[in-house]
Amino acid sequence: MSDETAAAPLLVKTVASVRSRDLALRVLIPLLVITALILIWYAYVRLSGVPPYILPGPAAVASAFVTDWGTLAPALWVTTKITLMSLMLALVGGVGFAIFLVQSRWIELAFYPLAVILQVTPIVAISPLILIYAPSTQVALLICAFLVAFFPILSNMVQGLKSVDHNLINLFELYGASRWQTLLFLKLPAAQPYFMTGLRIGGGLALIAAVVAEFAAGSAGAGSDLAFRLLEAQYRLNIPRLFAALLMLSLLGVAIFAVTSFISWLALHRWHESSLKREN
């Protein structure tokens, strides 16, 4: 048996060990930082004697998280449902409208400014109108979240479809490919990295827009989401519950970012430079 054959298992074990250590560091370092921040928070509350209605300690927030779970969990589900539905609509609308825009320079000049106007208009300013004309509050919240998440997906997708190598486009034309064949087999695959960037941005913005729209709506009752529970806790000076609701929103945002990042990795890690592992 040659030296190269004998060294192969050792090399595989070394690479696996390095990857395991890298993964452990990626998980361990953020956990240590978060733990240190919680300890600083706990020490400050204990030493300064600040009242719990001003700044509750970590124990009070954890207690509120458990005791108010029956109130906060349904609100979390409402927020999650609105966020995911608006993101799905933004994905379909953004990709479809981007494909429509890149078909002609005149189409892009005519319709792209409309999307820019919707993006630069503050959602807080137009949410009262949406609340008036929408058939229900939930539909209004969905529209608000959709409008905010729509433009990043559209903008990135347009950029991706327009960034395809023109030599490849000429090659497709040389072999007689139709416009739709070029779109399906060349432009859409090449635009995947841009689409994944828009997906990650749109997921976070959809959650932000859903919360801001709920602030504007101020709807109460069984269909209320976490934004209303935040306002309710503020009005009642129930600061531990307010912190618990904020924690839920943060965890939801982290979960959305993690899922969209994982989807991006699945789509790109085998071929795109942004996701390939390099030794240097």
Side-chain angles (χ1 to χ4, degrees):
M1 186 170 59
S2 63
D3 294 340
E4 290 81 0
T5 304
L10 180 60
L11 179 60
V12 172
K13 289 182 179 180
T14 303
V15 173
S17 176
V18 171
R19 289 182 177 177
S20 299
R21 184 175 60 186
D22 181 63
L23 179 61
L25 288 176
R26 287 176 179 269
V27 175
L28 184 61
I29 292 177
L31 287 178
L32 290 176
V33 172
I34 293 174
T35 302
L37 291 176
I38 293 175
L39 291 175
I40 293 172
W41 175 16
Y42 174 79
Y44 174 77
V45 171
R46 289 295 301 269
L47 296 176
S48 65
V50 61
Y53 57 84
I54 299 296
L55 179 62
V61 175
S63 176
F65 192 88
V66 174
T67 57
D68 294 332
W69 178 257
T71 301
L72 297 178
L76 175 65
W77 169 242
V78 173
T79 300
T80 304
K81 183 170 61 175
I82 293 174
T83 301
L84 295 181
M85 289 177 63
S86 63
L87 181 59
M88 292 299 105
L89 291 175
L91 289 176
V92 174
V95 172
F97 197 49
I99 293 173
F100 171 70
L101 289 180
V102 299
Q103 298 307 308
S104 168
R105 177 64 177 168
W106 295 107
I107 293 176
E108 183 178 357
L109 289 174
F111 291 98
Y112 195 73
L114 298 178
V116 175
I117 291 172
L118 286 176
Q119 173 64 20
V120 300
T121 304
I123 194 64
V124 176
I126 62 175
S127 57
L129 289 175
I130 297 175
L131 287 166
I132 291 173
Y133 297 122
S136 67
T137 302
Q138 298 302 312
V139 174
L141 299 179
L142 187 62
I143 293 173
C144 290
F146 162 79
L147 290 177
V148 175
F150 170 77
F151 187 79
I153 297 171
L154 170 67
S155 179
N156 280 277
M157 197 64 190
V158 169
Q159 187 66 28
L161 292 173
K162 293 171 65 176
S163 300
V164 181
D165 190 342
H166 284 273
N167 293 317
L168 294 176
I169 295 177
N170 294 335
L171 180 63
F172 269 64
E173 292 176 351
L174 179 64
Y175 282 96
S178 66
R179 174 178 294 184
W180 291 109
Q181 286 175 325
T182 303
L183 174 68
L184 183 62
F185 297 108
L186 175 61
K187 291 185 176 181
L188 287 178
Q192 273 191 26
Y194 297 86
F195 170 76
M196 293 302 169
T197 301
L199 174 63
R200 288 197 300 269
I201 298 173
L205 289 179
L207 175 60
I208 294 172
V211 173
V212 172
E214 177 66 22
F215 280 151
S219 61
S224 302
D225 69 357
L226 274 176
F228 175 77
R229 298 304 173 191
L230 282 169
L231 293 175
E232 181 186 44
Q234 175 191 354
Y235 294 148
R236 297 182 178 183
L237 290 180
N238 191 345
I239 308 303
R241 177 188 284 188
L242 190 150
F243 271 75
L246 283 174
L247 177 62
M248 281 186 166
L249 283 175
S250 299
L251 293 176
L252 176 59
V254 170
I256 292 173
F257 181 80
V259 170
T260 53
S261 297
F262 180 68
I263 293 173
S264 177
W265 178 83
L266 283 179
L268 304 177
H269 79 284
R270 293 185 181 276
W271 64 276
H272 195 257
E273 289 291 332
S274 64
S275 299
L276 290 175
K277 290 290 185 181
R278 299 297 183 187
E279 294 182 357
N280 53 1

